[in-house]
């Protein structure tokens, strides 16, 4: 069974930085495109950054130039470096694979709360 464990969130002031980490176990991690998603209470989850198995990245317009996604296939880990954080980046952040016509999401982890506030 695949497990996703996110960590690294917290409370940070506007303009600050955080680095999120997601460790994936129970699968061949390296073959999947991975994404970081975020969700506010009662709202739909949105994809903010993705990375393919070969390392190509893509970002939502709202985070472009501020967030950087990376992966370490040897450690089954996907990272999200978040700089220049804004109050509107306050969400619970989750990682998961990118769903395709061939497979859907794994069961979601517990996520990690990011709160940007002065």
């Amino acid at each position: 069974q695949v497990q996703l464990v996110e960590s690294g969130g917290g409370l940070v002031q506007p303009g600050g930085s955080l680095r999120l980490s997601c460790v994936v176990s129970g699968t061949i991690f390296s073959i999947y495109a991975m994404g970081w998603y975020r969700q506010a209470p009662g709202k739909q989850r949105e994809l903010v950054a993705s990375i393919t198995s070969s390392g190509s990245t893509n970002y939502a317009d709202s985070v472009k130039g501020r967030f950087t996604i990376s992966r370490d296939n040897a450690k089954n880990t996907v990272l999200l470096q978040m700089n220049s954080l804004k109050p509107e980046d306050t969400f619970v952040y989750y990682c998961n694979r990118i769903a395709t016509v061939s497979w859907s999401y794994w069961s979601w982890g517990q996520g990690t709360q990011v709160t940007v506030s002065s």
Side-chain angles (χ1 to χ4, degrees):
Q1 185 176 353
V2 177
Q3 284 193 315
L4 308 170
V5 180
E6 300 95 345
S7 63
L11 173 63
V12 63
Q13 291 187 339
S17 298
L18 285 173
R19 188 187 194 213
L20 305 185
S21 177
C22 171
V23 179
V24 183
S25 61
T27 188
I28 304 173
F29 168 79
S30 61
I31 68 173
Y32 296 106
M34 294 295 298
W36 279 97
Y37 305 77
R38 64 189 188 185
Q39 185 176 30
K43 299 289 181 66
Q44 202 163 9
R45 195 171 278 136
E46 63 169 336
L47 175 67
V48 295
S50 63
I51 185 166
T52 67
S53 57
S54 59
S56 297
T57 59
N58 199 24
Y59 300 91
D61 287 342
S62 59
V63 307
K64 203 169 291 183
R66 301 188 297 121
F67 290 10
T68 302
I69 188 171
S70 60
R71 66 191 298 161
D72 184 340
N73 289 336
K75 296 181 179 179
N76 280 20
T77 298
V78 58
L79 303 171
L80 186 68
Q81 178 66 44
M82 305 188 297
N83 298 329
S84 302
L85 283 162
K86 305 175 181 179
E88 51 264 43
D89 294 318
T90 296
F91 291 93
V92 179
Y93 285 74
Y94 303 86
C95 71
N96 212 311
R97 64 181 173 182
I98 300 299
T100 70
V101 294
S102 300
W103 51 70
S104 62
Y105 300 111
W106 293 311
S107 294
W108 296 90
Q110 83 286 352
T112 186
Q113 175 71 50
V114 171
T115 302
V116 185
S117 175
S118 55

